[in-house]
Every structure is written in structure tokens, then in C-alpha cells.
Amino acid sequence: MKILFIVNDVAEIITRQATTLLIHAAAVADHEVWVCGVGELHLATGKRLSASARRVPKPAPNPSRLAAGLRQQASKRLDVEACDAVMLRTNPGRDVARLGSHEVGLHLLGGAVERGTVVLNDPRSLQRAATKAYLTELPAEVVPPLIVSRSPEVIKEWLQALGGPAVLKPVRGTRGQDVFIVEDHEPANLSQIIDVIRRDGYVMAQAFVPEGRGGDVRVLVVDGEILEVDGRAAAVARIPASGDFRSNIAAGGRPAVAEVDDDKRASVARIADQLRSDGLFFVGIDFIADQIIELNVFSPGGLGNASEQQDRDFAGQVVRAIERYVADVS
């Protein structure tokens, strides 16, 4: 197969990223692998979508040499629509300087999908699921009670009706930034918390799940199924730093081995058909107990930690799932 990986910027690829592991696994599987940045797409009237892309050499170098080699390699023009699959490994939330490129890139790729190109995840679905507001579309039984609003009055009314602790966060946030826990319905600084969050858009208030003080679990899901190799699931527990309830690694949390219990498996099964129908092929689901607190649809991480902790080739399994998907739709 010919596979194109689209990233934020080729110059920013590093060795330990999940994306690098996936690129390496695809090359090791003897596919023709190309990589480009989200700002390197081209479309002229009446023409096919193309990209300025770099080809991964054969035999595939190890991940550390692969990342460095791609940064040094000159790009060539690639017909995107001639690829068997395009893997979108972009992350707009961590690439504010190129937000415009991400928006236009999704639009251009959406057109390629309509002309028959396989793009994973589907760019039109990514536009729909780009924020935490997508949680409102999941079944109520798999998510904590929540509200999305910019109105301080509406949020305060909801918190009072909830009658317990809640987490307030930006709908478009990432890496645990501007995330607050509110222990009762109206602490003295609630108005200030809401103002801080809503300066960049909508606020999500979510009932606090008590088990959350011990952290959360990231579970990787491919084509509606939990990613597994030899009976081990690709999952990582994220333990908060002392004195902090946030488990994000970027906020000081640390990764640990995680087991995926029957309750989490049931929650994944409950939304599997929706993920498939929405074109969300590869996602990371963040759980507290059996409750889904976040859905990561742009380049979900955790693949490296899960692979190291469990000594499994999860990246290779993702590539095999891509092969099956392409074969099924061909």
C-alpha cells in the first residue's frame, strides 16, 4: 500500500511520538510510506489533491534515525488521491500558530474523501468532533452528567442542581490547561474560574467522578475495537502528581500499567457503532471508572507508553487494522 501520514510539521517529528512509531511500523510492513505537514497540501481547480511530501526510505531506519532523516530530506510532489490510505496525525490544539492550515487542510481532505480517498480519521468527522462538545452526542450512560455553556448564570444553576463536585474546563482545551475542580456549587472564586475558561470560548462543566482522584485510564480504540495484541489491551493509567487532580502527562501526571476491565469494555462496545459511522477510526478514550470523560480524535497518544509497559507491538497492530480497512472498502 501507499500510505501518507499528515502531521503538524515534519520538522517537529520526534522519536518517541506515537506518530513516529506508526510511520516506522508501516515502513517495516513494506508499505510505501510518505509524510507531509498540514500546510503542505495543494489543490488547483479541476485537479487532484497533492502534497509536498517526504518518502520514508527502505529498509526502514529505526525510529530515532527515521525522525531525523525525514527532517533532512527534500520533499517531492505526491498525488494524495493515488494513496491507498491517508493517516491524519495532526493535533490542532497543540499547534495554535497553524490553526488556519488545519482548518483548510481538513476542508481539502474532505473533498478528497468525497472523490474516494481513504482518510483516517475522516476529516469531516474531525471537524464535528474537534472539541469536547462531542461528548454530548454520546449515550448518557457512558459519560458523567455535563453541560456546555458560556453563561455564568446557566453554569451556576446547573452546578447547584448537580449538588456535588464538578470539573470545569474549556471545550477546546488540551494538556490539562485551565482545568479546575469545584468542590461545591458556589465557591467564592467560581465567577473568576468561569471567566478564565470562557475567555477562549465555551465552558464544559462535568460531574466529578470520585475515582478521578486516583487518575484516569487512556484506552486506544481502532475501528470500534479496543486495540489488543496477544490478549493485552493498549491502555495507560495516568496518575496525577502530588497535590494535583489532573492526570495529563503534560500537567505532571505519570504513566502506569492499566488493566481494561469489563465495565470499560462495555462502554467501548456501547459507542463502537457510533465511532465507525462517524468515521473515527483511531481514537483515545479517557476513562474514570466506566465513565468516558474525554475522547481524543486527533492523533491520540499513549501508544509508546502502552507498547513499552506491555512489551507489545501495538503500532504494528494499528497498521494491520489499516490494511484490513482498506481491503474492506476497496
Short mmCIF file of all heavy atoms in Angstrom, two decimals, residues 157-222:
data_model
loop_
_atom_site.label_atom_id
_atom_site.label_comp_id
_atom_site.label_asym_id
_atom_site.label_seq_id
_atom_site.Cartn_x
_atom_site.Cartn_y
_atom_site.Cartn_z
N GLU A 157 -26.44 27.58 37.85
CA GLU A 157 -27.71 26.88 38.10
C GLU A 157 -27.51 25.37 37.96
O GLU A 157 -28.04 24.58 38.76
CB GLU A 157 -28.77 27.36 37.10
CG GLU A 157 -29.29 28.77 37.36
CD GLU A 157 -30.21 29.24 36.25
OE1 GLU A 157 -30.49 28.43 35.32
OE2 GLU A 157 -30.63 30.41 36.27
N TRP A 158 -26.75 24.96 36.94
CA TRP A 158 -26.52 23.54 36.71
C TRP A 158 -25.72 22.94 37.87
O TRP A 158 -26.03 21.84 38.36
CB TRP A 158 -25.78 23.34 35.39
CG TRP A 158 -25.57 21.90 35.02
CD1 TRP A 158 -26.44 21.09 34.34
CD2 TRP A 158 -24.43 21.10 35.32
NE1 TRP A 158 -25.90 19.84 34.19
CE2 TRP A 158 -24.66 19.81 34.79
CE3 TRP A 158 -23.23 21.35 35.99
CZ2 TRP A 158 -23.74 18.77 34.89
CZ3 TRP A 158 -22.30 20.32 36.10
CH2 TRP A 158 -22.56 19.05 35.56
N LEU A 159 -24.70 23.65 38.34
CA LEU A 159 -23.89 23.16 39.45
C LEU A 159 -24.74 23.03 40.72
O LEU A 159 -24.59 22.06 41.48
CB LEU A 159 -22.71 24.11 39.70
CG LEU A 159 -21.62 24.12 38.63
CD1 LEU A 159 -20.63 25.26 38.88
CD2 LEU A 159 -20.88 22.78 38.59
N GLN A 160 -25.63 23.98 40.95
CA GLN A 160 -26.48 23.91 42.13
C GLN A 160 -27.40 22.69 42.05
O GLN A 160 -27.60 21.97 43.04
CB GLN A 160 -27.30 25.19 42.26
CG GLN A 160 -28.11 25.26 43.56
CD GLN A 160 -28.70 26.63 43.78
OE1 GLN A 160 -28.76 27.45 42.88
NE2 GLN A 160 -29.15 26.90 45.01
N ALA A 161 -27.95 22.43 40.86
CA ALA A 161 -28.82 21.26 40.69
C ALA A 161 -28.03 19.96 40.81
O ALA A 161 -28.55 18.95 41.31
CB ALA A 161 -29.51 21.33 39.33
N LEU A 162 -26.77 19.97 40.38
CA LEU A 162 -25.92 18.78 40.48
C LEU A 162 -25.72 18.40 41.94
O LEU A 162 -25.77 17.21 42.31
CB LEU A 162 -24.58 19.03 39.79
CG LEU A 162 -23.57 17.88 39.83
CD1 LEU A 162 -24.06 16.72 38.96
CD2 LEU A 162 -22.19 18.37 39.34
N GLY A 163 -25.44 19.41 42.77
CA GLY A 163 -25.32 19.18 44.20
C GLY A 163 -24.07 18.43 44.63
O GLY A 163 -24.03 17.84 45.71
N GLY A 164 -23.04 18.45 43.82
CA GLY A 164 -21.79 17.77 44.16
C GLY A 164 -20.63 18.38 43.41
O GLY A 164 -20.78 19.34 42.65
N PRO A 165 -19.43 17.83 43.60
CA PRO A 165 -18.24 18.40 42.95
C PRO A 165 -18.30 18.24 41.43
O PRO A 165 -18.95 17.32 40.91
CB PRO A 165 -17.08 17.61 43.55
CG PRO A 165 -17.69 16.34 44.04
CD PRO A 165 -19.09 16.68 44.46
N ALA A 166 -17.64 19.16 40.74
CA ALA A 166 -17.62 19.14 39.28
C ALA A 166 -16.25 19.61 38.79
O ALA A 166 -15.50 20.25 39.52
CB ALA A 166 -18.72 20.03 38.71
N VAL A 167 -15.97 19.26 37.56
CA VAL A 167 -14.76 19.73 36.88
C VAL A 167 -15.18 20.72 35.81
O VAL A 167 -16.10 20.44 35.02
CB VAL A 167 -13.98 18.55 36.25
CG1 VAL A 167 -12.80 19.07 35.44
CG2 VAL A 167 -13.51 17.59 37.33
N LEU A 168 -14.53 21.87 35.78
CA LEU A 168 -14.79 22.88 34.76
C LEU A 168 -13.57 22.98 33.86
O LEU A 168 -12.43 23.04 34.36
CB LEU A 168 -15.10 24.24 35.38
CG LEU A 168 -16.56 24.50 35.78
CD1 LEU A 168 -17.02 23.54 36.86
CD2 LEU A 168 -16.74 25.94 36.23
N LYS A 169 -13.80 23.01 32.56
CA LYS A 169 -12.68 23.01 31.62
C LYS A 169 -13.10 23.69 30.32
O LYS A 169 -14.30 23.79 30.02
CB LYS A 169 -12.22 21.58 31.33
CG LYS A 169 -13.28 20.71 30.67
CD LYS A 169 -12.80 19.28 30.43
CE LYS A 169 -12.96 18.42 31.65
NZ LYS A 169 -12.69 16.97 31.35
N PRO A 170 -12.15 24.14 29.50
CA PRO A 170 -12.50 24.69 28.20
C PRO A 170 -12.94 23.59 27.24
O PRO A 170 -12.38 22.50 27.25
CB PRO A 170 -11.21 25.35 27.70
CG PRO A 170 -10.16 25.06 28.70
CD PRO A 170 -10.71 24.19 29.77
N VAL A 171 -13.94 23.88 26.43
CA VAL A 171 -14.40 22.88 25.46
C VAL A 171 -13.32 22.58 24.44
O VAL A 171 -13.23 21.46 23.94
CB VAL A 171 -15.69 23.40 24.76
CG1 VAL A 171 -16.02 22.57 23.54
CG2 VAL A 171 -16.85 23.35 25.73
N ARG A 172 -12.46 23.54 24.15
CA ARG A 172 -11.41 23.36 23.14
C ARG A 172 -10.03 23.23 23.79
O ARG A 172 -9.01 23.37 23.12
CB ARG A 172 -11.42 24.53 22.15
CG ARG A 172 -10.68 24.29 20.87
CD ARG A 172 -10.80 25.46 19.93
NE ARG A 172 -12.07 25.49 19.26
CZ ARG A 172 -12.34 24.80 18.14
NH1 ARG A 172 -11.44 24.03 17.60
NH2 ARG A 172 -13.53 24.89 17.59
N GLY A 173 -9.95 22.92 25.05
CA GLY A 173 -8.66 22.88 25.73
C GLY A 173 -7.87 21.61 25.48
O GLY A 173 -8.37 20.62 24.94
N THR A 174 -6.61 21.63 25.90
CA THR A 174 -5.73 20.48 25.77
C THR A 174 -4.67 20.52 26.86
O THR A 174 -4.41 21.56 27.46
CB THR A 174 -5.07 20.46 24.38
OG1 THR A 174 -4.29 19.27 24.24
CG2 THR A 174 -4.16 21.65 24.18
N ARG A 175 -4.09 19.35 27.15
CA ARG A 175 -2.97 19.22 28.08
C ARG A 175 -3.31 19.65 29.51
O ARG A 175 -2.44 20.07 30.27
CB ARG A 175 -1.75 20.00 27.58
CG ARG A 175 -1.12 19.40 26.34
CD ARG A 175 0.17 20.09 25.98
NE ARG A 175 0.90 19.32 24.98
CZ ARG A 175 2.10 19.65 24.51
NH1 ARG A 175 2.69 20.75 24.97
NH2 ARG A 175 2.69 18.90 23.61
N GLY A 176 -4.56 19.62 29.88
CA GLY A 176 -4.94 19.95 31.24
C GLY A 176 -4.89 21.43 31.57
O GLY A 176 -4.93 21.81 32.75
N GLN A 177 -4.82 22.29 30.57
CA GLN A 177 -4.75 23.73 30.82
C GLN A 177 -6.13 24.28 31.17
O GLN A 177 -7.13 23.94 30.56
CB GLN A 177 -4.18 24.45 29.59
CG GLN A 177 -2.74 24.08 29.28
CD GLN A 177 -2.23 24.73 28.02
OE1 GLN A 177 -2.99 25.23 27.20
NE2 GLN A 177 -0.92 24.74 27.86
N ASP A 178 -6.16 25.17 32.17
CA ASP A 178 -7.39 25.84 32.62
C ASP A 178 -8.47 24.83 33.01
O ASP A 178 -9.66 24.99 32.69
CB ASP A 178 -7.92 26.79 31.54
CG ASP A 178 -7.01 27.98 31.32
OD1 ASP A 178 -6.22 28.28 32.22
OD2 ASP A 178 -7.09 28.60 30.24
N VAL A 179 -8.06 23.77 33.71
CA VAL A 179 -8.99 22.77 34.22
C VAL A 179 -9.08 22.93 35.74
O VAL A 179 -8.06 22.96 36.43
CB VAL A 179 -8.55 21.34 33.86
CG1 VAL A 179 -9.52 20.32 34.47
CG2 VAL A 179 -8.47 21.18 32.36
N PHE A 180 -10.30 23.05 36.26
CA PHE A 180 -10.50 23.33 37.69
C PHE A 180 -11.50 22.34 38.28
O PHE A 180 -12.46 21.94 37.61
CB PHE A 180 -11.05 24.75 37.89
CG PHE A 180 -10.16 25.84 37.35
CD1 PHE A 180 -10.30 26.26 36.03
CD2 PHE A 180 -9.20 26.44 38.14
CE1 PHE A 180 -9.50 27.27 35.52
CE2 PHE A 180 -8.40 27.45 37.65
CZ PHE A 180 -8.53 27.87 36.33
N ILE A 181 -11.29 21.99 39.52
CA ILE A 181 -12.29 21.21 40.24
C ILE A 181 -13.03 22.15 41.19
O ILE A 181 -12.42 23.00 41.86
CB ILE A 181 -11.66 20.03 41.02
CG1 ILE A 181 -12.75 19.18 41.65
CG2 ILE A 181 -10.65 20.51 42.06
CD1 ILE A 181 -12.26 17.85 42.20
N VAL A 182 -14.34 22.04 41.20
CA VAL A 182 -15.20 22.85 42.07
C VAL A 182 -15.85 21.89 43.06
O VAL A 182 -16.61 21.00 42.67
CB VAL A 182 -16.27 23.59 41.23
CG1 VAL A 182 -17.24 24.33 42.15
CG2 VAL A 182 -15.61 24.56 40.26
N GLU A 183 -15.54 22.05 44.32
CA GLU A 183 -15.99 21.09 45.34
C GLU A 183 -17.45 21.28 45.74
O GLU A 183 -18.11 20.34 46.15
CB GLU A 183 -15.10 21.20 46.59
CG GLU A 183 -13.64 20.86 46.34
CD GLU A 183 -13.40 19.37 46.16
OE1 GLU A 183 -14.37 18.59 46.24
OE2 GLU A 183 -12.25 18.98 45.93
N ASP A 184 -17.97 22.50 45.64
CA ASP A 184 -19.39 22.71 45.92
C ASP A 184 -19.96 23.62 44.85
O ASP A 184 -19.23 24.11 43.98
CB ASP A 184 -19.60 23.30 47.32
CG ASP A 184 -18.84 24.60 47.53
OD1 ASP A 184 -19.18 25.59 46.84
OD2 ASP A 184 -17.90 24.64 48.34
N HIS A 185 -21.26 23.86 44.89
CA HIS A 185 -21.91 24.51 43.76
C HIS A 185 -21.58 25.99 43.62
O HIS A 185 -21.80 26.56 42.55
CB HIS A 185 -23.43 24.31 43.81
CG HIS A 185 -24.12 25.13 44.86
ND1 HIS A 185 -24.29 24.67 46.15
CD2 HIS A 185 -24.68 26.36 44.80
CE1 HIS A 185 -24.94 25.60 46.84
NE2 HIS A 185 -25.18 26.63 46.05
N GLU A 186 -21.07 26.63 44.67
CA GLU A 186 -20.74 28.04 44.52
C GLU A 186 -19.59 28.46 45.45
O GLU A 186 -19.82 29.15 46.46
CB GLU A 186 -21.97 28.93 44.76
CG GLU A 186 -21.73 30.36 44.29
CD GLU A 186 -23.01 31.15 44.16
OE1 GLU A 186 -24.09 30.64 44.50
OE2 GLU A 186 -22.93 32.30 43.70
N PRO A 187 -18.37 28.08 45.12
CA PRO A 187 -17.22 28.57 45.89
C PRO A 187 -17.02 30.06 45.64
O PRO A 187 -17.55 30.63 44.67
CB PRO A 187 -16.07 27.75 45.34
CG PRO A 187 -16.48 27.41 43.94
CD PRO A 187 -17.97 27.23 44.00
N ALA A 188 -16.23 30.67 46.48
CA ALA A 188 -16.06 32.13 46.40
C ALA A 188 -15.48 32.57 45.06
O ALA A 188 -15.78 33.68 44.58
CB ALA A 188 -15.16 32.60 47.54
N ASN A 189 -14.66 31.72 44.44
CA ASN A 189 -14.00 32.14 43.21
C ASN A 189 -14.63 31.54 41.95
O ASN A 189 -13.99 31.51 40.89
CB ASN A 189 -12.52 31.78 43.25
CG ASN A 189 -12.29 30.27 43.36
OD1 ASN A 189 -13.21 29.53 43.73
ND2 ASN A 189 -11.08 29.83 43.04
N LEU A 190 -15.88 31.08 42.03
CA LEU A 190 -16.49 30.42 40.89
C LEU A 190 -16.62 31.36 39.69
O LEU A 190 -16.34 30.98 38.56
CB LEU A 190 -17.87 29.88 41.26
CG LEU A 190 -18.65 29.18 40.14
CD1 LEU A 190 -17.84 28.01 39.57
CD2 LEU A 190 -20.00 28.69 40.65
N SER A 191 -17.02 32.59 39.94
CA SER A 191 -17.16 33.54 38.83
C SER A 191 -15.84 33.76 38.12
O SER A 191 -15.77 33.82 36.88
CB SER A 191 -17.71 34.88 39.34
OG SER A 191 -19.03 34.73 39.82
N GLN A 192 -14.76 33.85 38.91
CA GLN A 192 -13.44 34.05 38.30
C GLN A 192 -13.02 32.83 37.49
O GLN A 192 -12.43 32.95 36.41
CB GLN A 192 -12.39 34.34 39.37
CG GLN A 192 -12.53 35.71 40.03
CD GLN A 192 -13.45 35.65 41.25
OE1 GLN A 192 -14.30 34.78 41.37
NE2 GLN A 192 -13.25 36.61 42.17
N ILE A 193 -13.32 31.62 37.99
CA ILE A 193 -12.98 30.39 37.26
C ILE A 193 -13.70 30.36 35.92
O ILE A 193 -13.09 30.09 34.88
CB ILE A 193 -13.35 29.15 38.10
CG1 ILE A 193 -12.39 29.01 39.29
CG2 ILE A 193 -13.32 27.89 37.24
CD1 ILE A 193 -12.78 27.91 40.27
N ILE A 194 -14.97 30.66 35.93
CA ILE A 194 -15.75 30.65 34.69
C ILE A 194 -15.22 31.69 33.71
O ILE A 194 -15.09 31.44 32.51
CB ILE A 194 -17.24 30.87 34.98
CG1 ILE A 194 -17.80 29.69 35.78
CG2 ILE A 194 -18.03 31.05 33.67
CD1 ILE A 194 -19.22 29.90 36.28
N ASP A 195 -14.87 32.87 34.23
CA ASP A 195 -14.34 33.92 33.36
C ASP A 195 -13.03 33.51 32.71
O ASP A 195 -12.79 33.79 31.53
CB ASP A 195 -14.13 35.21 34.15
CG ASP A 195 -15.44 35.94 34.45
OD1 ASP A 195 -16.45 35.62 33.78
OD2 ASP A 195 -15.45 36.82 35.34
N VAL A 196 -12.16 32.85 33.48
CA VAL A 196 -10.87 32.40 32.93
C VAL A 196 -11.10 31.42 31.79
O VAL A 196 -10.46 31.51 30.73
CB VAL A 196 -10.01 31.75 34.04
CG1 VAL A 196 -8.84 30.96 33.43
CG2 VAL A 196 -9.48 32.81 34.98
N ILE A 197 -12.02 30.49 31.98
CA ILE A 197 -12.23 29.45 30.97
C ILE A 197 -12.93 30.01 29.74
O ILE A 197 -12.55 29.71 28.60
CB ILE A 197 -13.05 28.28 31.56
CG1 ILE A 197 -12.30 27.64 32.73
CG2 ILE A 197 -13.32 27.23 30.49
CD1 ILE A 197 -13.12 26.61 33.49
N ARG A 198 -13.92 30.84 29.93
CA ARG A 198 -14.74 31.26 28.80
C ARG A 198 -14.10 32.38 27.97
O ARG A 198 -14.65 32.77 26.93
CB ARG A 198 -16.14 31.68 29.26
CG ARG A 198 -16.25 33.02 29.93
CD ARG A 198 -17.62 33.22 30.52
NE ARG A 198 -17.83 34.61 30.94
CZ ARG A 198 -18.69 35.44 30.39
NH1 ARG A 198 -19.46 35.03 29.39
NH2 ARG A 198 -18.82 36.69 30.82
N ARG A 199 -12.94 32.86 28.39
CA ARG A 199 -12.28 33.89 27.58
C ARG A 199 -11.89 33.35 26.20
O ARG A 199 -11.73 34.11 25.25
CB ARG A 199 -11.03 34.41 28.30
CG ARG A 199 -9.92 33.38 28.46
CD ARG A 199 -8.82 33.86 29.38
NE ARG A 199 -7.86 32.78 29.64
CZ ARG A 199 -6.96 32.82 30.61
NH1 ARG A 199 -6.90 33.88 31.43
NH2 ARG A 199 -6.12 31.82 30.77
N ASP A 200 -11.75 32.02 26.09
CA ASP A 200 -11.39 31.40 24.82
C ASP A 200 -12.55 30.63 24.19
O ASP A 200 -12.35 29.89 23.23
CB ASP A 200 -10.20 30.45 25.00
CG ASP A 200 -8.92 31.20 25.33
OD1 ASP A 200 -8.74 32.30 24.78
OD2 ASP A 200 -8.13 30.70 26.14
N GLY A 201 -13.77 30.80 24.74
CA GLY A 201 -14.91 30.12 24.13
C GLY A 201 -15.83 29.49 25.15
O GLY A 201 -16.02 30.02 26.26
N TYR A 202 -16.38 28.34 24.81
CA TYR A 202 -17.36 27.67 25.66
C TYR A 202 -16.70 26.95 26.84
O TYR A 202 -15.54 26.55 26.78
CB TYR A 202 -18.17 26.66 24.84
CG TYR A 202 -19.36 27.27 24.15
CD1 TYR A 202 -19.23 27.90 22.91
CD2 TYR A 202 -20.63 27.23 24.73
CE1 TYR A 202 -20.32 28.46 22.27
CE2 TYR A 202 -21.72 27.79 24.10
CZ TYR A 202 -21.57 28.41 22.88
OH TYR A 202 -22.65 28.97 22.25
N VAL A 203 -17.51 26.78 27.88
CA VAL A 203 -17.10 26.07 29.09
C VAL A 203 -17.84 24.73 29.14
O VAL A 203 -19.02 24.66 28.80
CB VAL A 203 -17.46 26.90 30.35
CG1 VAL A 203 -17.06 26.15 31.63
CG2 VAL A 203 -16.81 28.28 30.28
N MET A 204 -17.11 23.69 29.58
CA MET A 204 -17.77 22.43 29.89
C MET A 204 -17.68 22.21 31.39
O MET A 204 -16.58 22.27 31.96
CB MET A 204 -17.15 21.24 29.16
CG MET A 204 -17.74 19.90 29.62
SD MET A 204 -17.07 18.47 28.73
CE MET A 204 -17.98 18.62 27.19
N ALA A 205 -18.82 21.97 32.02
CA ALA A 205 -18.86 21.56 33.42
C ALA A 205 -19.29 20.10 33.44
O ALA A 205 -20.26 19.72 32.78
CB ALA A 205 -19.83 22.41 34.22
N GLN A 206 -18.55 19.30 34.18
CA GLN A 206 -18.74 17.86 34.15
C GLN A 206 -18.74 17.34 35.59
O GLN A 206 -17.87 17.71 36.38
CB GLN A 206 -17.57 17.25 33.37
CG GLN A 206 -17.71 15.82 32.93
CD GLN A 206 -16.51 15.45 32.04
OE1 GLN A 206 -15.36 15.58 32.44
NE2 GLN A 206 -16.79 14.97 30.84
N ALA A 207 -19.72 16.53 35.93
CA ALA A 207 -19.75 15.96 37.29
C ALA A 207 -18.44 15.24 37.58
O ALA A 207 -17.94 14.47 36.76
CB ALA A 207 -20.93 15.00 37.43
N PHE A 208 -17.88 15.50 38.75
CA PHE A 208 -16.62 14.87 39.14
C PHE A 208 -16.87 13.41 39.53
O PHE A 208 -17.73 13.13 40.36
CB PHE A 208 -15.99 15.63 40.30
CG PHE A 208 -14.67 15.07 40.75
CD1 PHE A 208 -13.54 15.23 39.98
CD2 PHE A 208 -14.57 14.38 41.95
CE1 PHE A 208 -12.32 14.73 40.39
CE2 PHE A 208 -13.36 13.86 42.37
CZ PHE A 208 -12.24 14.03 41.59
N VAL A 209 -16.13 12.50 38.91
CA VAL A 209 -16.24 11.08 39.24
C VAL A 209 -15.25 10.81 40.38
O VAL A 209 -14.06 11.07 40.22
CB VAL A 209 -15.91 10.20 38.02
CG1 VAL A 209 -16.09 8.72 38.38
CG2 VAL A 209 -16.80 10.58 36.84
N PRO A 210 -15.72 10.34 41.55
CA PRO A 210 -14.85 10.22 42.73
C PRO A 210 -13.55 9.48 42.48
O PRO A 210 -12.50 9.85 43.01
CB PRO A 210 -15.73 9.48 43.75
CG PRO A 210 -17.13 9.82 43.34
CD PRO A 210 -17.10 9.93 41.85
N GLU A 211 -13.59 8.44 41.66
CA GLU A 211 -12.36 7.67 41.37
C GLU A 211 -11.31 8.51 40.64
O GLU A 211 -10.15 8.11 40.54
CB GLU A 211 -12.71 6.44 40.53
CG GLU A 211 -13.54 5.41 41.26
CD GLU A 211 -15.03 5.63 41.11
OE1 GLU A 211 -15.42 6.77 40.77
OE2 GLU A 211 -15.81 4.68 41.37
N GLY A 212 -11.72 9.69 40.17
CA GLY A 212 -10.80 10.54 39.43
C GLY A 212 -9.63 11.05 40.24
O GLY A 212 -8.61 11.47 39.68
N ARG A 213 -9.73 11.01 41.57
CA ARG A 213 -8.60 11.48 42.38
C ARG A 213 -7.39 10.57 42.21
O ARG A 213 -6.27 10.95 42.50
CB ARG A 213 -9.01 11.56 43.85
CG ARG A 213 -10.13 12.56 44.09
CD ARG A 213 -10.34 12.86 45.55
NE ARG A 213 -11.52 13.71 45.74
CZ ARG A 213 -11.52 15.04 45.59
NH1 ARG A 213 -10.42 15.64 45.23
NH2 ARG A 213 -12.63 15.74 45.78
N GLY A 214 -7.64 9.34 41.75
CA GLY A 214 -6.53 8.43 41.51
C GLY A 214 -6.02 8.45 40.08
O GLY A 214 -5.11 7.69 39.73
N GLY A 215 -6.60 9.30 39.22
CA GLY A 215 -6.17 9.40 37.84
C GLY A 215 -7.18 8.81 36.88
O GLY A 215 -8.29 8.45 37.26
N ASP A 216 -6.79 8.72 35.62
CA ASP A 216 -7.68 8.16 34.62
C ASP A 216 -6.93 7.11 33.80
O ASP A 216 -5.76 6.84 34.05
CB ASP A 216 -8.26 9.27 33.72
CG ASP A 216 -7.19 10.03 32.94
OD1 ASP A 216 -6.07 9.51 32.78
OD2 ASP A 216 -7.48 11.15 32.47
N VAL A 217 -7.63 6.51 32.85
CA VAL A 217 -7.05 5.47 32.00
C VAL A 217 -7.34 5.81 30.55
O VAL A 217 -8.49 6.02 30.16
CB VAL A 217 -7.64 4.08 32.33
CG1 VAL A 217 -7.12 3.03 31.34
CG2 VAL A 217 -7.29 3.67 33.75
N ARG A 218 -6.27 5.90 29.76
CA ARG A 218 -6.40 6.11 28.32
C ARG A 218 -6.45 4.74 27.64
O ARG A 218 -5.55 3.91 27.79
CB ARG A 218 -5.21 6.91 27.80
CG ARG A 218 -5.00 6.95 26.28
CD ARG A 218 -5.97 7.83 25.56
NE ARG A 218 -6.01 9.18 26.08
CZ ARG A 218 -5.14 10.15 25.69
NH1 ARG A 218 -4.20 9.91 24.81
NH2 ARG A 218 -5.26 11.37 26.20
N VAL A 219 -7.53 4.49 26.89
CA VAL A 219 -7.72 3.24 26.16
C VAL A 219 -7.74 3.57 24.67
O VAL A 219 -8.51 4.43 24.23
CB VAL A 219 -9.03 2.53 26.56
CG1 VAL A 219 -9.22 1.25 25.76
CG2 VAL A 219 -9.05 2.24 28.06
N LEU A 220 -6.90 2.89 23.90
CA LEU A 220 -6.84 3.13 22.46
C LEU A 220 -7.80 2.19 21.73
O LEU A 220 -7.83 0.99 22.01
CB LEU A 220 -5.41 2.93 21.96
CG LEU A 220 -4.39 3.93 22.54
CD1 LEU A 220 -2.98 3.60 22.07
CD2 LEU A 220 -4.75 5.36 22.17
N VAL A 221 -8.56 2.77 20.82
CA VAL A 221 -9.61 2.04 20.11
C VAL A 221 -9.40 2.22 18.61
O VAL A 221 -9.22 3.35 18.12
CB VAL A 221 -11.00 2.54 20.52
CG1 VAL A 221 -12.10 1.90 19.68
CG2 VAL A 221 -11.24 2.26 22.01
N VAL A 222 -9.42 1.12 17.86
CA VAL A 222 -9.23 1.13 16.41
C VAL A 222 -10.42 0.47 15.73
O VAL A 222 -10.76 -0.68 16.04
CB VAL A 222 -7.92 0.40 16.02
CG1 VAL A 222 -7.77 0.35 14.51
CG2 VAL A 222 -6.71 1.10 16.64
#
